[in-house]
Amino acid sequence: MKIVIQRVSEAEVKVEEKSVGKINKGFLLLIGIEVDDEIKDADWLIQKILNLRIFSDENGKLNQSITDIKGELLCVSQFTLIADY
């Protein structure tokens, strides 16, 4: 399992010009899941992502998590992350 995390002020996914997902401040997650990945791996990554302190606090320090700011998640399947070249 591989995940690319991008901190965003807003993000949107469109398919054929139709919006299928949209968030405000939070994380855009590109997720590649392999056949051997287990639920315990996903659970561990979810906790890791939710506890990343990469949002600014009132002093401008990167000291807040997505849960602290009540941010949003937009998850996008990205099978190319696990491609074998």
Side-chain angles (χ1 to χ4, degrees):
M1 181 177 307
K2 294 181 182 174
I3 298 179
V4 175
I5 303 169
Q6 183 171 1
R7 185 179 61 184
V8 297
S9 57
E10 62 182 46
E12 182 175 17
V13 174
K14 291 184 178 183
V15 176
E16 295 181 358
E17 301 301 317
K18 182 181 176 191
S19 180
V20 295
K22 186 175 181 178
I23 64 168
N24 292 309
K25 190 174 184 178
F27 290 145
L28 169 63
L29 304 175
L30 304 177
I31 305 171
I33 300 172
E34 298 184 69
V35 71
D36 295 333
D37 290 333
E38 297 182 8
I39 291 178
K40 66 179 179 153
D41 301 321
D43 289 341
W44 181 84
L45 274 172
I46 290 166
Q47 289 307 308
K48 194 80 166 163
I49 290 166
L50 293 177
N51 290 305
L52 283 174
R53 297 193 165 277
I54 60 174
F55 291 95
S56 299
D57 62 15
E58 60 279 351
N59 298 317
K61 303 252 184 202
L62 296 179
N63 195 28
Q64 291 191 313
S65 69
I66 194 163
T67 54
D68 293 332
I69 66 159
K70 296 181 177 37
E72 300 176 285
L73 298 172
L74 180 57
C75 302
V76 180
S77 174
Q78 189 65 33
F79 64 89
T80 57
L81 288 173
I82 56 172
D84 186 14
Y85 293 100

